[in-house]
Amino acid sequence: MILVTGGAGYIGSHTNKALNKAGYETVVLDNLCKGYENFAKWGEFVNCDFGSSDLREVFEKYDIDGVLHFAAFSSVAESVELPQKYFKNNYKNTLNLLKVMREFGVDKFILSSTAAVYGNPEKVPITEDQELKPINPYGHSKWITEKALEREAEKGNFNYVSLRYFNAAGCDFDCEIGELHDPETHLIPLVLDAAIGKRDSISIFGTDYNTPDGTCIRDYIHVNDLASAHIAAYEYLCDKNTSNIFNLGNGEGYSVREIIDMCKKVTGKDFKVEIADRREGDPDILIADASKIRNELGWQPKYDLECIVSSAWKWHQKINSI
């Protein structure tokens, strides 16, 4: 049985669904501060904080073989305002989880990590061996968590895979679950808010970047591709019994303007686009070199940008028609 922490959230719920479809039994652990109980439709659900002493009861009740860890705060802006909140939840509480895993002999761990550990990259596409220089508390909290996993593995009888995401996007094709953040900070759902009329406009923050159209370029990956990568990583741990780190991205970049244009194409809606000042700390280009996971795990992303936006739009229409 696999424990999925944060399994009632966006990426966790999609991965939990994929695990169950693949034949795995799961326990979803979530305190619902960011997640939704109706997103935990598959496996067992336990309302619990992974940083609490109640966690031991979960390990006592269920025969857990491994942990997929999604329970982290992930807003860069909020982490700058409330850094201690991020270090407590993302790092300190993960240490509690690792301690309980060690007590119960659970030796397989997959971390939902982030490209934010790279900070401003030295070269693009970004490879896993680049120096880690996080520039915000969120990225720093994930970096020190990766170091904690490294120390844990050095003790023996424990292996992990850290999956460094780029931009997760898109939604479940069955529209049973989807992206539902409060507040929403991700570009595609914000643009779709403008398309559906929830926002008066969408802002482009800076048009003078060193890119073909002057706007930032990012690597977007469908959440279902992320889910399949977690399953591949878990099977890798079961088979190889060794730790590793992988980037998760499409290896292609799309500019802010290209995202907006694709949203207009998919929705058939026009909306106002405004130009605003640059935001501090936004690099020109962030694209993953995901060749390592493709070569070592045989994982391959399936879904292109149009598919990403189409699935997100279907979900967006559903939640805004209620």
Side-chain angles (χ1 to χ4, degrees):
M1 183 167 275
I2 298 174
L3 179 67
V4 184
T5 67
Y10 173 43
I11 301 173
S13 64
H14 284 79
T15 304
N16 180 51
K17 178 178 180 178
L19 283 165
N20 279 269
K21 286 181 70 175
Y24 289 97
E25 293 183 327
T26 63
V27 181
V28 172
L29 186 142
D30 202 299
N31 67 4
L32 302 181
C33 73
K34 297 287 186 180
Y36 303 88
E37 187 171 352
N38 65 330
F39 278 20
K41 300 174 186 288
W42 304 272
E44 301 287 329
F45 173 70
V46 179
N47 188 332
C48 179
D49 193 310
F50 71 101
S52 76
S53 58
D54 295 337
L55 186 62
R56 284 180 179 82
E57 297 178 10
V58 179
F59 280 77
E60 288 170 354
K61 182 176 180 180
Y62 298 99
D63 185 15
I64 295 170
D65 299 306
V67 175
L68 273 62
H69 185 40
F70 299 93
F73 297 139
S74 60
S75 167
V76 169
E78 184 185 51
S79 79
V80 174
E81 295 177 7
L82 301 169
Q84 292 307 315
K85 175 180 178 180
Y86 277 67
F87 290 120
K88 180 180 185 299
N89 184 73
N90 294 4
Y91 175 66
K92 185 178 178 182
N93 287 355
T94 301
L95 295 184
N96 180 65
L97 175 58
L98 294 175
K99 180 181 178 182
V100 175
M101 286 178 64
R102 178 70 71 174
E103 289 176 13
F104 285 84
V106 181
D107 61 358
K108 292 180 284 293
F109 188 94
I110 297 178
L111 177 68
S112 169
S113 193
T114 171
V117 298
Y118 296 111
N120 293 312
E122 298 171 358
K123 62 178 181 178
V124 176
I126 302 168
T127 54
E128 291 88 349
D129 58 359
Q130 286 198 37
E131 185 177 359
L132 304 185
K133 297 180 179 178
I135 59 174
N136 53 64
Y138 167 58
H140 194 86
S141 72
K142 289 289 191 175
W143 173 55
I144 60 177
T145 299
E146 287 193 7
K147 298 303 290 184
L149 292 173
E150 186 179 321
R151 292 193 301 270
E152 196 68 26
E154 288 171 355
K155 297 177 186 177
N157 300 315
F158 177 87
N159 288 295
Y160 72 93
V161 169
S162 179
L163 297 175
R164 295 172 179 165
Y165 306 164
F166 281 66
N167 290 59
C171 294
D172 171 47
F173 296 119
D174 298 325
C175 234
E176 293 181 285
I177 48 179
E179 188 166 12
L180 192 59
H181 298 119
D182 184 20
E184 184 56 73
T185 59
H186 293 175
L187 178 60
I188 289 175
L190 288 175
V191 176
L192 295 180
D193 276 348
I196 211 163
K198 285 182 67 177
R199 300 172 61 91
D200 294 331
S201 63
I202 190 71
S203 294
I204 296 176
F205 294 100
T207 57
D208 59 348
Y209 287 91
N210 186 24
T211 62
D213 67 17
T215 65
C216 291
I217 290 176
R218 297 292 182 265
D219 188 330
Y220 292 84
I221 180 169
H222 197 284
V223 66
N224 282 358
D225 281 328
L226 286 180
S228 68
H230 282 81
I231 295 174
Y234 188 77
E235 292 172 349
Y236 169 87
L237 283 179
C238 293
D239 182 45
K240 299 295 185 182
N241 200 35
T242 188
S243 299
N244 219 324
I245 295 171
F246 300 104
N247 286 336
L248 280 186
N250 264 315
E252 297 182 34
Y254 301 98
S255 73
V256 175
R257 286 193 188 277
E258 287 176 318
I259 294 296
I260 291 171
D261 289 345
M262 181 59 73
C263 288
K264 288 184 175 182
K265 175 186 174 181
V266 166
T267 65
K269 308 286 186 182
D270 197 10
F271 45 86
K272 186 177 181 181
V273 178
E274 297 182 336
I275 306 301
D277 293 336
R278 279 191 184 212
R279 296 180 300 193
E280 185 177 353
D282 274 345
D284 297 311
I285 303 173
L286 291 176
I287 300 174
D289 182 335
S291 58
K292 183 180 177 183
I293 191 171
R294 296 181 194 217
N295 294 335
E296 295 192 27
L297 271 61
W299 171 84
Q300 191 84 6
K302 295 180 179 179
Y303 307 110
D304 62 12
L305 181 62
E306 185 165 358
C307 185
I308 288 170
V309 173
S310 295
S311 65
W313 177 236
K314 183 179 178 183
W315 168 255
H316 221 73
Q317 290 175 297
K318 176 182 176 179
I319 61 174
N320 286 287
S321 65
I322 297 173

